[in-house]
Amino acid sequence: RFLIKGGLAGAAVYVAYDQGLLGSGTEGAEALKKAQETLPPAIQEWTNYLGWEVRAAQLPPTPKFDFSLSDSWNKGVHTVMSALSVAPTRACEYTVEGWKYVKDLVK
């Protein structure tokens, strides 16, 4: 069983790599576009083969993704760098506020 599961996992990784899903963002976007074009006709073909009556209106529309991984990554990097650049100033401000609070408690 372990060898079968390992073989299936290896095959899945190979197929994902071969289709460009593990590559850059542009390769992933191309693979998604290719899947969106290929999947509905393939589903229709299989339903016809199996004798199921499925109309195109019954199938849900393919989702449209308007998501750029590189833009999200860049936005995250900018946010982290912005927070790190302000961190020393904020640390000084919080330290001064903390000392004022402690002095007020001691009085």
Side-chain angles (χ1 to χ4, degrees):
R1 286 185 177 184
F2 177 74
L3 292 176
I4 292 171
K5 289 180 183 180
L8 289 174
V13 170
Y14 173 75
V15 169
Y17 176 77
D18 187 48
Q19 295 298 318
L21 296 176
L22 301 177
S24 66
T26 56
E27 291 175 351
E30 290 173 9
L32 178 63
K33 188 183 297 183
K34 183 177 163 184
Q36 287 175 341
E37 293 170 356
T38 307
L39 210 54
I43 291 173
Q44 187 64 40
E45 181 181 336
W46 273 99
T47 55
N48 291 342
Y49 176 75
L50 295 174
W52 295 343
E53 186 176 331
V54 177
R55 296 184 187 114
Q58 291 176 339
L59 293 175
T62 56
K64 302 208 185 254
F65 295 106
D66 188 22
F67 176 76
S68 173
L69 187 60
S70 62
D71 289 342
S72 298
W73 175 265
N74 290 339
K75 184 177 178 183
V77 169
H78 286 291
T79 303
V80 168
M81 291 302 148
S82 174
L84 289 175
S85 68
V86 177
T89 306
R90 295 284 167 90
C92 290
E93 291 173 3
Y94 293 147
T95 303
V96 169
E97 289 177 19
W99 278 113
K100 285 181 185 177
Y101 179 74
V102 169
K103 286 181 184 178
D104 290 340
L105 285 178
V106 172
K107 287 183 182 179

